[in-house]
Amino acid sequence: MNKWLPLVAVLALSGCATSETTYLNNGEQGLSIDCSGEANSWATCYEKADASCAGTGYRIVGTDGTPASKESDKTLGVDVGNYKNRSVVVVCK
């Protein structure tokens, strides 16, 4: 049981989107939101952006992420073992 505890902790944390304040080149304040991991999706990023902007709306400044795998790279039609990187930078309205 003790051998599995660290793995369970890592998997539990990998399902959370995180955000931190960032500044754009023009001096505007924005949010950098990271929603990487198998348990998240792009929708998780946008939900976190909406919650972080307190429902006032946001403007997407940029996105970055791992491209979708080709069908030939999947195992039995499932993308196994590939860590998904997703991040988005937004500015609250």
Side-chain angles (χ1 to χ4, degrees):
M1 180 64 177
N2 288 337
K3 293 179 183 179
W4 294 100
L5 190 56
L7 178 61
V8 171
V10 168
L11 290 175
L13 292 175
S14 66
C16 301
T18 60
S19 66
E20 63 182 43
T21 302
T22 188
Y23 292 91
L24 307 178
N25 289 339
N26 64 2
E28 201 172 16
Q29 182 177 340
L31 289 171
S32 176
I33 300 170
D34 181 27
C35 49
S36 299
E38 194 66 37
N40 288 322
S41 65
W42 284 107
T44 307
C45 282
Y46 303 132
E47 289 167 6
K48 180 70 173 182
D50 192 44
S52 296
C53 292
T56 61
Y58 57 89
R59 175 175 47 96
I60 298 173
V61 178
T63 60
D64 187 32
T66 305
S69 298
K70 295 181 274 184
E71 285 299 316
S72 61
D73 293 338
K74 295 181 179 180
T75 304
L76 299 174
V78 179
D79 189 15
V80 178
N82 292 323
Y83 186 77
K84 306 287 190 271
N85 292 313
R86 291 180 208 88
S87 63
V88 62
V89 177
V90 300
V91 173
C92 296
K93 294 183 177 179

